[in-house]
């Protein structure tokens, strides 16, 4: 077993697990790269993506898993059930695969009202139908009251690879364009407000949806010209792009004024001192495409339902390597870093 | 220090005289206006908000003056002399 | 008018930057200090340095209330949080600041009831909603924030919310400026004055700087246009060999300050005879504590705090960076042992600490062969 190989080096030095390790930023990366990867992934040397492509019976399939631990379970724009389906469909989509089947595990807290559970199961069924994916099985466990925040859901999914799409950070070149499917920050800020601890109101809702139709529209016109795709969930756009910058050793330049942020989301972020680029999204994706295909790609996505707000937000440059650089129209620039831990509001 | 942001007062509380509803880019929050009791706040005023309190009223007139001063930069030196400066000393 | 967009507008920025180029004497090297951490953050966030000629150097001052808090005070705060009956509340800024046994967030992960609040009012409300618990508010900040804490305490007293108390670490800005000016190795030509502190204290308190030191100070706003316009005003004064207090942020800062805020502060707080500033030693009359009339809401009196002094690791040069004597990258620990992920000093944790700001926004730009900006 891998764990007994003496030469496997554990680089994870944190003495205990913190919330930050699940936030999708640097701490998460430290955990994954420092503990999970050396012990679990063995000889796998590809940069970690949203889904893995494995060879089975002579062909390749995509496989991924995701867990959902959101509170509250229901929020404007969706619920945990929809997140669970869309999240996995999206992970497969941005790895260049069409989701075929999902399996679901529920960890339920004793005392959870049955109608709450039923509502989520219905939501999952509807989301699966909308996304064109079948739920084919799963598992259920019940834990004592207080041991699971009402319910935790994990979904695992498999999918068919879309022919002609080969996504790898190493294919990214200077001059490539960075496309974003729509406004950022909606989901994370909606959850924050839905917790009701803040005296804050805004008309915002989660953006949870399947991005597969948009991915398919992009692939149809840009296929081989797509270098990389990712869905910016926890950690936000900034974290995603930083991972890419690190993996491809180039500079991702973002035109700050081009990044779309809805009004209410902007207001909440301003009031709390949060950066929309660090906030989770559940219905968006980023794509890096060859420059000559960018316009066509954009047009195709914009013509697809749900794609009207797609936009080019940046481009790839050589230097400074491994960095995401935000530039403004007036000539100022700043490094946009990965999230360190949970996005913390600030007063200063 | 001091993340303080400009916000528009959209409603004064009818039940609590020291509270008001402000709005920033589509988000609304209830804040305390007790630090501005010497110059009472009205709906439509813009205030500077810090940690849930209004610290100051924002003067639209001064803001416009500042921006117009900037816009005039680059004109002849003589014209610049006439411009009332960028705020200057005590009134 | 939105009061933000207009002051980030490219045309206005360009004009202000051109004015600076026109006024700056190419034979002179200017050193301007921005006192306030919010300005440090804004300078990096908006890439203001990219817009300045190379002979204007911006030095970052000690105006970061999180950065100047000695580690011992954080440990004191966390010792209060250890009490299982306490709900410990603080602003997000404090949550990752390391104490000797971990940060507030790490304590929260170990099961302590530590909660983020966005306003002292939130903490008071928590106390009202949880009458059987003790709610403690970790108050930090300069004069910008102190009036809000003061007013909240006045409300707590009026409503007789007995289970609420404040662990007060408010500090005042003028002694920090004085300490900078008294430093023998400092050479500052002029000051970019704290915009939001001045909303409370007004512009008059800075007059001694111009009188005694003959150095200009311009109170500045936080948008790129504000900062650039302020630098232009400083250059104009230096060119004419003037030294006066000017208010660039006139749309927000009243010359006389906010009387109601000052009254609230005077009612609730008094100056401590002395207070330790991290990296700067003890400074007299530089921090606030609750007056006798508010003793019942003073966490330091309600709880036993160890009051231990914790010295920073010898290699950490927080003090020199705070005073502007060293640039962040010149500290031996910068970017190696001390990074935002595992910060040694508060300057690397606080989003407006110069080390964090430099690391997060600028550090890797140094690899650029040309300034990255869309022309």
């Amino acid at each position: 077993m891998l764990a007994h190989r003496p030469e496997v080096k554990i680089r994870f030095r944190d003495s205990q697990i913190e919330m930050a390790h699940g936030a999708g930023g640097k701490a998460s990366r430290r955990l994954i790269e420092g503990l999970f990867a050396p012990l679990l992934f063995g000889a796998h040397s590809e940069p970690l993506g949203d889904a893995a492509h494995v060879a089975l019976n002579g062909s390749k399939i995509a496989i991924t898993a995701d867990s959902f631990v959101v509170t509250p379970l229901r929020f404007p724009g969706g619920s945990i059930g929809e997140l669970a389906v869309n999240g996995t469909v999206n992970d497969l989509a941005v790895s260049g695969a069409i989701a075929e089947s999902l399996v679901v595990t529920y960890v339920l807290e004793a005392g959870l009202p049955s109608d709450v559970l039923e509502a989520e199961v219905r939501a999952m069924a509807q989301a699966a139908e909308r996304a064109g994916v079948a739920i084919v099985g799963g598992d259920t466990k019940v834990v004592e009251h207080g041991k699971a925040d009402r319910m935790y859901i994990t979904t695992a999914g498999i999918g068919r690879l879309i022919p002609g799409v080969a996504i790898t950070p190493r294919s990214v070149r200077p001059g490539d364009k960075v496309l974003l499917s729509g406004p950022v920050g909606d989901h994370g800020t909606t959850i924050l407000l839905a917790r009701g601890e803040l005296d804050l109101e805004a008309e915002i809702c989660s953006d949870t949806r399947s991005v597969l139709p948009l991915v398919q529209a992009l692939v149809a016109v840009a296929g081989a010209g797509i270098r990389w795709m990712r869905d910016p969930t926890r950690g936000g756009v900034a974290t995603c792009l930083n991972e890419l910058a690190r993996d491809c050793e180039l500079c991702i330049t973002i035109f700050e004024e081009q990044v779309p942020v809805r009004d209410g989301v902007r207001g909440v972020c301003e009031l709390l001192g949060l950066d929309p680029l660090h906030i989770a999204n559940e219905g968006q994706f980023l794509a890096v495409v060859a420059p000559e295909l960018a316009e066509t790609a954009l047009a195709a996505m914009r013509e697809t339902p749900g794609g009207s707000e797609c936009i080019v937000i940046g481009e790839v440059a050589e230097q400074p390597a491994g960095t995401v650089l935000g530039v403004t129209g007036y000539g100022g620039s700043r490094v946009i870093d990965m999230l360190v831990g949970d996005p913390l509001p600030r007063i200063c | 220090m001091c993340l303080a942001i400009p916000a528009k007062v959209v409603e004064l509380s009818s039940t609590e005289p020291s509270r008001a509803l402000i709005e920033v880019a589509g988000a609304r929050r209830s804040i305390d206006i007790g630090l501005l009791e010497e110059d009472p706040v009205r709906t439509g005023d813009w205030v500077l908000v810090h940690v849930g309190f209004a610290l100051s009223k924002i003067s639209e007139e001064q803001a416009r003056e500042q921006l117009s001063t900037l816009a005039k930069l680059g004109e002849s030196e003589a014209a610049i002399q006439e411009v009332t400066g960028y705020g200057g000393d005590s009134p | 008018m939105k009061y933000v967009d207009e002051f980030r507008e490219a045309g206005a920025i360009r004009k202000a930057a051109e004015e600076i180029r026109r006024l700056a004497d190419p034979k002179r090297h200017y050193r301007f200090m921005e006192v306030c951490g919010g300005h440090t953050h804004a300078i990096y966030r908006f890439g203001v340095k990219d817009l300045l000629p190379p002979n204007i150097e911006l030095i970052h001052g000690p105006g970061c209330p999180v950065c100047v808090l000695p580690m011992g005070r954080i440990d004191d705060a966390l010792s209060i949080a250890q009490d299982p009956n306490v709900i410990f509340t603080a602003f997000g800024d404090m949550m990752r600041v390391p104490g000797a046994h971990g940060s507030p967030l790490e304590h929260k992960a170990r099961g302590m009831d530590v909660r983020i609040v966005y306003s002292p009012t939130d903490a008071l409300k928590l106390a009202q909603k949880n009458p059987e618990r003790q709610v403690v508010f970790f108050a930090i900040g300069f004069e910008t924030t102190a009036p809000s804490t003061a007013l909240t305490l006045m409300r707590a007293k009026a409503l007789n919310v007995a289970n609420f108390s404040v662990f007060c670490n408010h500090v005042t800005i003028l002694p920090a400026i004085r300490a900078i000016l008294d430093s023998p190795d400092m050479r500052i030509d002029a000051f970019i004055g704290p915009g939001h502190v001045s909303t409370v204290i007004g512009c008059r308190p800075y007059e001694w700087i111009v009188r005694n030191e003959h150095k200009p100070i311009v109170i500045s706003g936080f948008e790129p246009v504000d900062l650039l316009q302020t630098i232009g005003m400083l250059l104009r004064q230096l060119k004419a060999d003037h030294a006066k207090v000017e208010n660039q942020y006139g749309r927000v800062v009243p010359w006389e300050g906010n009387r109601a805020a000052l009254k609230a502060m005077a009612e609730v707080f008094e100056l401590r005879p002395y207070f330790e500033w991290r990296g700067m030693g003890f400074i007299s009359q530089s921090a606030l504590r609750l007056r006798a009339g508010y003793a019942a809401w003073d966490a330091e009196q309600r709880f036993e705090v160890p009051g231990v002094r914790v010295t920073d690791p010898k290699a950490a040069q927080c003090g020199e960076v705070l005073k502007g004597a060293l640039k962040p990258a010149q500290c031996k620990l910068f970017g190696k042992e001390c990074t935002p992920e595992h910060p040694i000093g508060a300057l690397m944790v606080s989003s407006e600490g110069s080390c964090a700001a430099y690391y997060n926004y600028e550090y890797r730009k140094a690899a650029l062969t040309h300034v990255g900006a869309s022309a």
Side-chain angles (χ1 to χ4, degrees), chain A residues 16 22 63 71 84 113 125 127 160 165 176 245 274 341:
Chain A
Q16 64 180 45
I63 181 170
T71 297
R160 280 178 284 130
V165 180
D176 285 347
L274 299 170

Side-chain angles (χ1 to χ4, degrees), chain A residues 3 14-16 24 36 45 60 67 69 111 122 130 135 151 164 184 192 198-199 205 214 256 285 304 310 313 340:
Chain A
D14 302 31
S15 62
Q16 64 180 45
F36 295 150
S45 62
K60 275 201 158 183
S67 46
V69 298
R122 279 188 193 278
R130 257 196 314 269
I135 301 181
M151 76 170 76
V184 294
L192 197 55
L198 299 169
D199 221 338
C205 60
L214 289 176
E256 302 238 36
F285 74 102
T304 309
C310 293
I313 60 163
V340 174

Side-chain angles (χ1 to χ4, degrees), chain C residues 279-298:
Chain C
M280 291 172 69
F282 286 90
I283 305 183
S284 62
Q285 314 267 302
S286 63
L288 303 175
R289 68 179 175 204
L290 275 63
R291 282 187 183 281
Y294 283 84
W297 289 272
D298 188 345

